[in-house]
Amino acid sequence: AVVSTQSGHYGRAIGIGLDSCVLPTRHPGISLVETTDFFYPLINDPYLMGKVACANVLSDLYAMGVTEVDNMLLLLGISKELSNDQRKVVIPMILEGFRDLAKEAGVTINGGQTVVNPWMIIGGVATSVCTRSEIIMPNQAVAGDKIVLTKPLGTQVAVNLHQWMSLGTPSWNIAKDLISAEDVVKGYDDATTSMTTLNLAAARLMHKHGAHAATDVTGFGILGHSRNLAEFQTAEVDFSIHTLPIFARFTEVCKQLIEKGGRNFKLLQGLSSETSGGLLVCLSAEAADKFVEEMRSEGGTAWIVGDVVPGNKTSRIADNPEIIEVSY
């Protein structure tokens, strides 16, 4: 995403890899904040998949501190492999899930595009018309800040283990000796709960507690996204990540999969892709404690996972990070 500098509102452009496009409009003091995202279905329930897609799109705006979204467009590619009877069931469920979560976010859906496609695709566009005070630019982290994460890691692991088990793939022949079917289902259900949860509460608390920078953790993993965020900082700082909250049982499974010649998700290296992941937020030490406490008091999750330290605008994970096993 790019922050335009057409009228000098913000001074510096955000490079590709951060979260939303922020464009000054022809109206003084008013900017257009916009993002788009789409992907292939990754869970079995079409209704919940619609929710995941909606949460994932909105998360890019929430990472910029934008809490009021003016409109969404829905993008849907309908697989040509679906029969007419299957379409009549699946498509309304996806749309209902997307609409229901948009309603929870206080957003209306007006417009979009539906096409026939070789594969199912679900996603959308989210747009907000904002004043400067509604946007938290992601470039003000300073040494001494704490780094907070608001959702556990491991959604890719959860989805893949469940798919392997359901289809009886060769990968499951390796994994089935490492984790029980019950634990796979529990991890999958926990990951689905996480992926269908909006990052709206965290975005609101970013304003309340004076966040200095944020991004959301998705396809590049926590390390990839923290590197992107570190590169954009005004100050010469590094992000040092010392703690990884991970869905229960997945840490040991990932280690043993590698030992047995199975897939390396790179979860402990911070490079496992996430879908509709949490916000990674930089706050002062005092504000971080209050942010975490308030997120938990509102029924959410949050952990202090790292520190902002003097450096060269990069990010790293400790050699032996603390692992927090998370179960909903």
Side-chain angles (χ1 to χ4, degrees), residues 56-296:
N56 198 63
V57 173
L58 289 171
S59 186
D60 286 339
L61 294 191
Y62 295 152
M64 298 291 296
V66 175
T67 61
E68 301 297 329
V69 180
D70 292 294
N71 189 53
M72 293 189 77
L73 307 177
L74 192 151
L75 305 176
L76 183 62
I78 302 172
S79 172
K80 63 183 181 181
E81 301 299 323
L82 291 179
S83 68
N84 286 334
D85 287 342
Q86 288 171 330
R87 292 181 187 182
K88 290 176 183 178
V89 174
V90 171
I91 303 309
M93 292 177 70
I94 290 175
L95 298 179
E96 184 182 6
F98 197 101
R99 291 189 187 113
D100 281 355
L101 202 67
K103 183 177 180 181
E104 182 181 325
V107 186
T108 58
I109 302 169
N110 297 285
Q113 181 69 39
T114 302
V115 297
V116 176
N117 198 58
W119 311 277
M120 283 293 299
I121 293 175
I122 176 69
V125 178
T127 304
S128 182
V129 180
C130 295
T131 62
R132 180 64 184 90
S133 64
E134 294 177 283
I135 305 168
I136 298 175
M137 295 300 287
N139 62 349
Q140 298 301 310
V142 296
D145 280 357
K146 299 296 182 182
I147 304 171
V148 173
L149 179 65
T150 66
K151 288 185 182 181
L153 305 170
T155 54
Q156 183 188 44
V157 181
V159 166
N160 277 269
L161 284 173
H162 192 266
Q163 184 181 65
W164 295 348
M165 183 180 71
S166 300
L167 298 177
T169 66
S171 293
W172 177 244
N173 290 335
I174 299 173
K176 67 183 180 181
D177 295 327
L178 310 177
I179 185 171
S180 69
E182 292 77 13
D183 284 337
V184 170
V185 171
K186 180 63 168 66
Y188 175 81
D189 289 344
D190 284 353
T192 301
T193 297
S194 177
M195 291 187 291
T196 55
T197 298
L198 294 168
N199 282 323
L200 178 56
R204 288 172 175 158
L205 290 179
M206 283 168 57
H207 284 276
K208 181 174 181 178
H209 297 291
H212 295 158
T215 187
D216 65 337
V217 179
T218 50
F220 300 131
I222 187 172
L223 182 59
H225 285 284
S226 64
R227 280 175 175 165
N228 287 343
L229 188 61
E231 288 174 3
F232 185 63
Q233 297 314 299
T234 300
E236 296 291 329
V237 294
D238 284 355
F239 293 169
S240 178
I241 298 171
H242 54 62
T243 300
L244 298 176
I246 295 174
F247 291 111
R249 295 282 289 118
F250 291 167
T251 301
E252 193 58 33
V253 170
C254 286
K255 289 179 180 177
Q256 293 187 39
L257 275 173
I258 298 171
E259 293 174 2
K260 294 182 179 296
R263 179 170 176 177
N264 183 1
F265 287 100
K266 299 185 178 179
L267 180 62
L268 302 184
Q269 290 75 44
L271 295 172
S272 182
S273 297
E274 304 293 336
T275 298
S276 187
L279 298 189
L280 195 68
V281 187
C282 299
L283 306 110
S284 70
E286 181 180 0
D289 287 334
K290 293 178 179 177
F291 182 101
V292 169
E293 180 181 358
E294 197 160 345
M295 275 292 294
R296 292 175 179 176

